[in-house]
Amino acid sequence: MPLNLPTEIFGSVIVVHTPDEMSGEQADQIGEYLCRLDRKHIVLDLDNTELIDSNGLTALITGQESVRGEGGDLKIATSNHTNRKILEITRLDQQLEVFDSVIDAVKSFA
């Protein structure tokens, strides 16, 4: 069954709220989900995600590469301290633009 995540639209930007876990098969599905979106300016809101494993981190990078390949961009929003730490430790915060809030991430596309 294909993954269906809650989203919000702000003009040309779509905000995708990630699930509790970004791990294993679900992480792979998130990457595929991002490629199917009709908008290519994407903000991933990680605030409610409690677990991100290596598959989840890989999904972030491959999702960003796919979206950029289609002329868009993927940005991350999270005020979740643990998720920010994971992005810092893995240095993904240097590859992905990370914002403290969804609003800041959405505004960065303007």
Side-chain angles (χ1 to χ4, degrees), residues 27-99:
D28 297 337
Q29 289 179 331
I30 290 169
E32 293 167 17
Y33 178 83
L34 295 175
C35 294
R36 290 196 315 266
L37 294 173
D38 59 348
R39 282 171 171 76
K40 296 304 168 204
H41 292 146
I42 303 170
V43 173
L44 266 188
D45 176 11
L46 300 181
D47 273 355
N48 294 321
T49 300
E50 299 294 325
L51 172 70
I52 303 175
D53 72 0
S54 60
N55 290 340
L57 296 172
T58 300
L60 294 178
I61 294 301
T62 55
Q64 181 191 49
E65 289 170 354
S66 299
V67 171
R68 284 185 172 172
E70 294 184 28
D73 203 1
L74 172 72
K75 301 183 183 191
I76 306 298
T78 187
S79 58
N80 179 314
H81 180 73
T82 303
N83 290 345
R84 286 194 84 88
K85 202 78 187 148
I86 289 168
L87 295 172
E88 287 169 19
I89 290 169
T90 58
R91 296 181 182 248
L92 287 184
D93 64 331
Q94 294 173 17
Q95 270 187 274
L96 298 159
E97 279 189 84
V98 183
F99 296 86

